[in-house]
Amino acid sequence: MTSVKQFQVTFDCAEPERVARFWCEVLGYVVPPPPEGFATWDDFERTLPPKRQGAAFACSDPTGVGPRLFFQRVPEGKVVKNRVHLDVRVGTGLVGEERLAALEAECARLLPLGATRGQLLLADDENESCLNMQDIEGNEFCLD
């Protein structure tokens, strides 16, 4: 049995580039260069049929360690809770007040980008504290 070497996380959304750029800011990801022969992604988009313009966008970890994120336009809006979500690991190794401060600081950074704050789940006997949030199109993620 062969092992998977790479994978990407795909988001269904209404505005792929907008959501991709949000996640670039959250994760420190970058937009890859446009295809060869094009100075910008806008130049490339203009060569596509109108129906395909703005239909997809991607971003990647500049270190090559994290998965590529792919955003594809879908006609329907989000109506239920995500079955899969990202945990943005800002509190790794921190506990108690120090962890809460890290979560709150990251939340404060993301709110001006369009994120929405959700519920703060405080530590219990099994789990450390985390903060539920939503991206600019309502996809849930956690600050963990």
Side-chain angles (χ1 to χ4, degrees):
M1 186 159 108
T2 60
S3 64
V4 174
K5 302 294 183 211
Q6 294 182 350
F7 69 95
Q8 76 178 9
V9 178
T10 301
F11 289 71
D12 290 348
C13 55
E15 298 179 65
E17 182 174 353
R18 181 173 174 248
V19 180
R21 292 191 184 278
F22 169 85
W23 282 103
C24 283
E25 290 295 323
V26 172
L27 300 174
Y29 272 36
V30 296
V31 174
E36 192 172 321
F38 296 94
T40 67
W41 279 104
D42 286 339
D43 290 344
F44 172 74
E45 286 284 322
R46 284 191 285 276
T47 68
L48 299 175
K51 188 175 180 177
R52 294 211 36 234
Q53 291 178 8
F57 212 79
C59 60
S60 58
D61 180 351
T63 69
V65 175
R68 178 178 188 248
L69 301 181
F70 184 76
F71 303 85
Q72 61 187 8
R73 185 173 56 216
V74 296
E76 68 278 357
K78 182 180 175 305
V79 294
V80 297
K81 185 178 184 315
N82 300 4
R83 294 292 302 260
V84 174
H85 68 268
L86 301 183
D87 286 343
V88 180
R89 310 295 310 273
V90 297
T92 302
L94 303 176
V95 296
E97 292 301 318
E98 191 176 17
R99 183 180 180 90
L100 290 174
L103 298 177
E104 293 295 347
E106 185 65 2
C107 177
R109 184 180 80 85
L110 300 180
L111 291 174
L113 300 175
T116 303
R117 182 190 176 101
Q119 182 180 11
L120 174 64
L121 302 172
L122 295 173
D124 58 26
D125 292 335
E126 297 178 27
N127 301 298
E128 257 307 326
S129 298
C130 68
L131 179 57
N132 293 330
M133 298 194 68
Q134 293 181 354
D135 74 9
I136 57 177
E137 284 200 4
N139 298 302
E140 294 90 2
F141 67 97
C142 290
L143 298 181
D144 180 18

